Amino acid sequence: MTSVFRDEHWIGGAFVPPDSGDRIEVENPYTEEVFGHVPAGTAEDVNLAVSAAHQALAGWAALTPAERGTALDRLHRALLARADEIARIVGLELGTPLKIAKVVQAGLPLTVLAGYAELAAHPPADEVIGNSLVVREPVGVVGAITPWNYPLHQVVAKVGAALAAGNTVVLKPSELTPLTAYLLADAVAEAGLPPGVFNLVAGTGPVVGSAIAGHPDVDMVSFTGSTATGRAISHAAADRIAKVSLELGGKSANLILDDADLVKAVKVGVGNAFLNSGQTCTAWTRMLVHRSHYDDAVELAAKTAAGYPLGDPFDPATRLGPLASAGQRARVRGFIERASARLVAGGLDAPVPSTGHFVAPTVFADVDPDSEIAQEEIFGPVLSIIPFGDDDEAVAIANNSKYGLAGAVWGSSERALAVARRLRTGAVDVNGGSFNPFAPFGGYKQSGIGRELGAYGLAEFSQVKAIQR
Ligand code: NAD
């Protein structure tokens, strides 16, 4: 069995021993065996990391765009050399099937980082407004706190942008999947980034996360995770009026209009809902279907879901791996147990592999739009299908959510675009438009505040200053 033991934090340009000897064990969610550990960091470790980031700030911020671009390009190359290892470690600590992990867990963040190396070298020009010169400056020391579902992408979306904009960073990755982030620290070491520009402190949310969120010398907290934790982080940062950006949960709707390509819309829709075993914040977990082809859609969705092979993430035939933890599995099963809609695929009694935190891909039809499974983020392979009569009703059901992160519309192009404009959500894919890693990413309502990725992500990690002449 592969073992991965990390006994230090990355602080001030070196792997340093932790303040305490306590450790966090890392479990393989397929074998259910512990295969690694990281230090359980303390507030003292955070103090050290924030101090290193503070010391590094002036020097890093003063580099020319070309110099910062070159440094990030070196980082990208060092990370690229680890692409296979990234996919393997994500497969081990999260259970994403290797084939999928190579593309979304390794390939995507590498693309994002390459984009930030380019943006660092060629940042948006200063703006002239009348007699003012408007310039962008770094915010300062950024605390980055990330979840487990895309262990490198969520990290790079913050770290790449923050560093490109001239900030320095203290990262706390999820305690469930901390090992992938260590590969970024290895790449930082190899790339020779100046000491203190990037720091990694492993640990739990309540200890290390809250120490970062509440630290007086952290100028901005960038968080991705649950809405409940985002709220706690906002409260901590509010005491010192620190900038906060939040990427939170979602309950996105997939609207299939009466003139949609039904087969494509349903198949892609089911695939989207179950990507990463449904542990995707943008997952289209509500499928809204026009009554004229509702029955066909339900039948096709059920058949598609039932055909997904579950199994060992390292078996090329596997499409869905286990959920990330026993706790997550129990949570998802609770939603299924309490649901009162018509079960058409999966469910609690459907067969799953004998080891691993599996939940069978589950589809409910005739779901009440106000019910728990239509309103709460489940974060597992559970799809709710809801009928509608016309576009207005579809939009009303889609917008009947406390979240507003993503969504989709299928139908003739002008009409689908018109419906897309009416959705209260940060992103909408029309007729299968693919994910764009350089377009702004973020949520309306309780899905978050701020935007990541591309030039909008760079702006999020910048201050603007008006100089009058
Ligand atoms: P989580 O909120 O439990 O944890 C996220 C991070 O916050 C972890 O690193 C955790 O250790 C830390 N944390 C926990 N309590 C904290 C506290 N009191 N103070 C500071 N930090 C604390 O979320 P999760 O279970 O890891 O991830 C799943 C959630 O993330 C889902 O709700 C999902 O929708 C959301 N998510 C959102 C996006 C997005 O971009 N909008 C992307 C991925 C995941």
Side-chain angles (χ1 to χ4, degrees):
M1 188 178 68
T2 311
S3 298
V4 186
F5 300 125
R6 296 292 196 145
D7 291 306
E8 294 160 316
H9 304 298
W10 173 260
I11 297 175
F15 284 106
V16 300
D19 172 44
S20 136
D22 292 348
R23 289 169 176 166
I24 297 171
E25 292 184 332
V26 183
E27 185 209 37
N28 176 328
Y30 176 65
T31 62
E32 302 182 38
E33 289 166 351
V34 170
F35 75 100
H37 65 232
V38 295
T42 65
E44 197 39 50
D45 294 321
V46 173
N47 286 340
L48 207 63
V50 172
S51 160
H54 228 277
Q55 282 173 36
L57 182 61
W60 180 249
L63 292 184
T64 63
E67 288 167 335
R68 260 205 304 278
T70 304
L72 291 185
D73 188 49
R74 282 202 311 273
L75 177 60
H76 173 255
R77 274 185 280 128
L79 203 59
L80 185 61
R82 292 165 171 77
D84 287 346
E85 183 64 357
I86 292 164
R88 193 179 74 88
I89 295 288
V90 175
L92 288 172
E93 66 179 358
L94 180 62
T96 306
L98 190 65
K99 218 164 54 177
I100 299 168
K102 282 185 177 174
V103 180
V104 295
Q105 303 283 16
L108 174 60
L110 281 162
T111 303
V112 170
L113 186 58
Y116 277 122
E118 183 63 28
L119 270 172
H122 305 285
D126 294 343
E127 200 182 343
V128 175
I129 303 177
N131 67 323
S132 301
L133 180 69
V134 180
V135 298
R136 288 186 185 278
E137 296 182 348
V139 181
V141 173
V142 171
I145 302 172
T146 54
W148 44 261
N149 60 338
Y150 289 90
L152 186 63
H153 172 65
Q154 311 292 3
V155 165
V156 164
K158 300 181 185 318
V159 173
L163 296 184
N167 305 279
T168 55
V169 177
V170 176
L171 167 71
K172 188 205 91 65
S174 169
E175 54 271 51
L176 227 51
T177 58
L179 298 171
T180 311
Y182 272 85
L183 295 175
L184 178 64
D186 292 343
V188 165
E190 185 184 313
L193 254 56
V197 163
F198 169 80
N199 307 276
L200 185 163
V201 180
T204 66
V207 177
V208 173
S210 62
I212 291 173
H215 200 290
D217 293 332
V218 170
D219 301 290
M220 171 177 178
V221 185
S222 175
F223 170 75
T224 299
S226 63
T227 299
T229 307
R231 201 170 285 125
I233 283 174
S234 297
H235 283 300
D239 281 342
R240 59 182 196 288
I241 321 289
K243 183 171 181 177
V244 171
S245 80
L246 303 171
E247 299 287 348
L248 307 175
K251 191 75 199 176
S252 297
N254 177 19
L255 283 64
I256 305 179
L257 308 182
D258 52 353
D259 56 0
D261 175 344
L262 185 68
V263 172
K264 191 169 172 200
V266 171
K267 282 192 169 171
V268 174
V270 172
N272 180 291
F274 294 160
L275 176 67
N276 208 26
S277 298
Q279 304 166 117
T280 301
C281 51
T282 53
W284 307 335
T285 48
R286 293 180 296 156
M287 182 180 281
L288 277 44
V289 187
H290 190 271
R291 286 192 193 281
S292 62
H293 44 215
Y294 180 73
D295 291 342
D296 291 344
V298 169
E299 194 182 324
L300 182 58
K303 206 172 133 207
T304 307
Y308 278 13
L310 274 58
D312 182 347
F314 290 88
D315 179 344
T318 297
R319 176 91 185 247
L320 293 189
L323 297 186
S325 65
Q328 188 64 15
R329 178 174 183 267
R331 190 172 168 273
V332 172
R333 284 177 63 90
F335 281 107
I336 297 173
E337 199 167 7
R338 291 189 296 277
S340 57
R342 178 162 60 102
L343 180 72
V344 294
L348 298 180
D349 300 328
V352 292
S354 55
T355 69
H357 307 306
F358 284 93
V359 170
T362 296
V363 180
F364 286 104
D366 311 344
V367 173
D368 174 351
D370 291 317
S371 64
E372 185 186 42
I373 52 168
Q375 288 292 324
E376 298 301 324
E377 182 179 55
I378 297 173
F379 234 54
V382 181
L383 174 67
S384 295
I385 311 186
I386 303 171
F388 65 82
D390 61 21
D391 292 4
D392 287 349
E393 192 189 356
V395 170
I397 295 171
N399 287 339
N400 172 23
S401 172
K402 64 188 170 196
Y403 295 115
L405 188 58
V409 186
W410 302 80
S412 60
S413 43
E414 286 309 309
R415 184 171 158 213
L417 191 61
V419 169
R421 286 179 183 276
R422 296 173 65 191
L423 299 185
R424 303 266 306 136
T425 173
V428 187
D429 299 347
V430 170
N431 290 327
S434 58
F435 180 73
N436 179 351
F438 306 111
F441 178 90
Y444 285 23
K445 300 190 267 183
Q446 290 189 27
S447 287
I449 299 173
R451 292 294 178 268
E452 289 189 334
L453 302 182
Y456 281 84
L458 193 76
E460 194 68 43
F461 290 90
S462 306
Q463 289 278 22
V464 284
K465 178 188 280 176
I467 303 170
Q468 283 61 243
R469 296 169 292 178

